[in-house]
Amino acid sequence: MKSLKYILLFVLILFISCNNKEKELKQIKQYASLLKMTETPDQRVALFNVDINYEEDKIKLEGITTTKTPMFKLMNSISRKKIKYINEIRVLPDTAVGDLKYAVARNSVINIRSQPKHSAELGTQGLLGMPLKVLDKKGDFYRVQTPDKYISWVDKGGITRMNKADFDAWNNEKKVIFTKNFGAIFSHKSDKSEIISDITLGGILKYKALHKDFIEVEYPDKRMGFVKRDEATLFESWLTNLQVSQSNIEEIAKSMDGFPYLWGGTSSKGMDCSGFTKMVYLLNGFIIPRDASQQVHAGQIVDSDLKFEGLEKGDLMFFGKKATAEKGKKVTHVGIWLGNGKGEFIHASGNVHISSIDDYQPNYDEFNKNRYLGSRRYLGVEDKNIINLKEEIKL
């Protein structure tokens, strides 16, 4: 009879212990979810993805993060509960990429995808010469972070990886920026010579020498070539002489009229709505957030009453689903206000074109007028999410 009591007591203790473990595990997972929401709310620019499970008598933490803060907070929380744990969270970048934690885009346009495979959705693009941080590796793909902090995957053929010294050296070299929509880099000082590669608007290469009709340039992978002098200019001169103004925003935007729409595109080969606004501002010397849902959180709010009043040329206009009692508003589209008295804005939808919110105009866009969510001003506004290249490079 005594042995039966001991067995029942043991089973009871085991049951209570299991229940306590399940409760503790649930609490730790809830706290990890809270940390993810508060510390890395936008997983497009910062990662904290952790799996938490019991392994025998210890909590095992596995996953990845790009910032140590939520990881340390989670570990401290577990320690305060007097629970033993094993931490196997990878802080990116780590040994998977070794010392080559940087890269530069080596093709005219590189496709940066949501997953490490060619069939994955196109998240964004990078232009020739774009500097990147390399965070992780999986097969033939690298997880990279662009200058606007966007994190996704690029195949190895699109980039040249570098260590810190080589990357700093590349960034400090004199550069050339391509200023036409499309062009080519030639093997010799002749447009009849072999083409090394194509190049698109905003592409950047290292300056080597100036010739009569060509500029000699170098790729990040050391290939040499020649670009026509009337299609490119020294980057420093371009940036120094760049007159940032509402008129220049309009001029650059209209120069892209007719460019094809491409989901995830940010180049003259194809662009989505926010890729278009991003390119327009880039060619005016600003790096702005990648997606429309990110761009709406930068700059200064204008036209809060949604009456199309107080807008100025160059302001970003946002469209999407309006807020309801159950859900907040959802930004899905963006354009640029032209401020020309016709209620016109320019945007990428099907292709880059001009529409109007004025029903008397032939290009009246009733659909977007009815889903207008407000506007933001970027010019002349100090914002950590709007990088002014003139200040960043300190010309």
Side-chain angles (χ1 to χ4, degrees):
M1 199 69 178
K2 275 188 176 181
S3 60
L4 180 59
K5 285 182 179 179
Y6 287 134
I7 292 170
L8 289 174
L9 182 60
F10 174 76
V11 170
L12 181 61
I13 292 171
L14 186 64
F15 177 75
I16 293 171
S17 176
C18 288
N19 277 351
N20 285 340
K21 278 188 174 183
E22 288 178 7
K23 185 179 178 181
E24 289 168 349
L25 187 61
K26 184 179 179 181
Q27 289 175 343
I28 294 168
K29 285 184 175 181
Q30 287 175 339
Y31 184 57
S33 295
L34 178 64
L35 286 172
K36 183 173 182 176
M37 286 189 294
T38 56
E39 299 289 337
T40 58
D42 189 345
Q43 291 283 299
R44 291 167 293 187
V45 299
L47 303 174
F48 182 64
N49 298 317
V50 181
D51 292 322
I52 306 170
N53 291 289
Y54 257 105
E55 188 173 280
E56 296 179 352
D57 63 335
K58 294 180 181 178
I59 288 284
K60 187 174 184 180
L61 308 176
E62 295 179 290
I64 58 171
T65 185
T66 54
T67 173
K68 293 181 180 179
T69 302
M71 180 183 72
F72 286 147
K73 287 184 176 180
L74 179 60
M75 291 163 59
N76 289 336
S77 174
I78 297 171
S79 294
R80 284 196 298 270
K81 295 178 185 292
K82 307 297 183 184
I83 300 172
K84 295 179 180 179
Y85 67 90
I86 304 168
N87 179 32
E88 294 186 1
I89 299 173
R90 298 172 56 210
V91 180
L92 304 181
D94 63 3
T95 54
V97 298
D99 292 332
L100 305 181
K101 298 177 181 179
Y102 303 90
V104 178
R106 64 181 294 273
N107 293 336
S108 62
V109 178
I110 59 171
N111 294 321
I112 304 175
R113 301 187 179 278
S114 58
Q115 298 293 329
K117 54 185 179 181
H118 290 289
S119 59
E121 178 183 75
L122 185 64
T124 190
Q125 291 180 320
L127 301 176
L128 178 63
M130 175 183 279
L132 304 161
K133 292 180 181 178
V134 181
L135 304 177
D136 201 1
K137 182 181 188 297
K138 189 171 184 179
D140 288 337
F141 281 79
Y142 289 92
R143 195 196 297 260
V144 296
Q145 188 168 35
T146 58
D148 56 21
K149 297 182 172 59
Y150 204 88
I151 298 173
S152 211
W153 297 85
V154 64
D155 71 279
K156 65 179 183 180
I159 59 174
T160 296
R161 295 175 63 206
M162 299 179 180
N163 58 31
K164 183 68 164 60
D166 290 341
F167 185 70
D168 288 344
W170 166 269
N171 288 329
N172 291 327
E173 291 283 356
K174 187 181 290 189
K175 302 289 197 315
V176 170
I177 183 170
F178 191 75
T179 55
K180 300 298 181 183
N181 290 341
F182 305 98
I185 306 296
F186 299 95
S187 59
H188 296 89
K189 292 175 282 185
S190 168
D191 57 11
K192 300 293 190 292
S193 64
E194 180 183 356
I195 293 176
I196 293 178
S197 81
D198 69 321
I199 187 169
T200 60
L201 181 64
I204 290 176
L205 287 167
K206 184 193 296 187
Y207 170 85
K208 295 300 291 183
L210 188 63
H211 302 275
K212 181 181 178 183
D213 298 316
F214 288 83
I215 304 173
E216 190 173 356
V217 292
E218 183 180 319
Y219 286 77
D221 57 9
K222 306 299 183 183
R223 284 176 295 165
M224 304 294 291
F226 297 86
V227 61
K228 292 181 179 178
R229 280 185 62 168
D230 60 356
E231 294 182 348
T233 187
L234 288 175
F235 179 82
E236 188 173 315
S237 297
W238 170 79
L239 192 58
T240 300
N241 297 324
L242 188 62
Q243 299 298 313
V244 180
S245 66
Q246 295 176 344
S247 296
N248 203 46
I249 293 286
E250 178 180 24
E251 182 181 343
I252 294 296
K254 285 183 174 179
S255 73
M256 299 181 191
D257 198 7
F259 279 16
Y261 182 91
L262 174 65
W263 178 273
T266 61
S267 71
S268 54
K269 292 184 177 183
M271 51 184 59
D272 59 21
C273 62
S274 55
F276 165 65
T277 54
K278 178 176 173 57
M279 276 293 291
V280 170
Y281 270 85
L282 178 64
L283 293 169
N284 276 274
F286 296 95
I287 296 175
I288 68 172
R290 169 62 183 92
D291 293 340
S293 58
Q294 297 169 312
Q295 292 175 3
V296 73
H297 296 297
Q300 174 187 322
I301 296 174
V302 290
D303 191 25
S304 56
D305 294 330
L306 308 185
K307 294 181 179 179
F308 301 101
E309 295 176 350
L311 289 165
E312 295 180 4
K313 188 192 305 288
D315 289 346
L316 296 190
M317 305 173 69
F318 296 93
F319 308 86
K321 295 180 180 179
K322 296 186 177 182
T324 65
E326 295 78 28
K327 294 181 179 180
K329 68 181 181 181
K330 184 178 181 180
V331 173
T332 58
H333 190 58
V334 61
I336 299 174
W337 181 250
L338 293 179
N340 56 12
K342 299 179 182 179
E344 288 185 331
F345 62 98
I346 185 167
H347 59 137
S349 178
N351 62 6
V352 176
H353 64 277
I354 296 173
S355 298
S356 175
I357 52 91
D358 184 347
D359 57 7
Y360 286 101
Q361 298 298 324
N363 55 349
Y364 175 53
D365 188 342
E366 182 180 14
F367 172 68
N368 278 311
K369 181 179 181 180
N370 289 336
R371 63 177 190 148
Y372 175 60
L373 299 176
S375 298
R376 291 270 181 159
R377 182 160 301 146
Y378 280 19
L379 290 184
V381 175
E382 292 289 330
D383 191 304
K384 65 179 182 179
N385 295 311
I386 302 172
I387 300 172
N388 186 333
L389 288 175
K390 286 194 175 188
E391 295 177 0
E392 188 79 3
I393 297 175
K394 294 181 175 59
L395 295 175

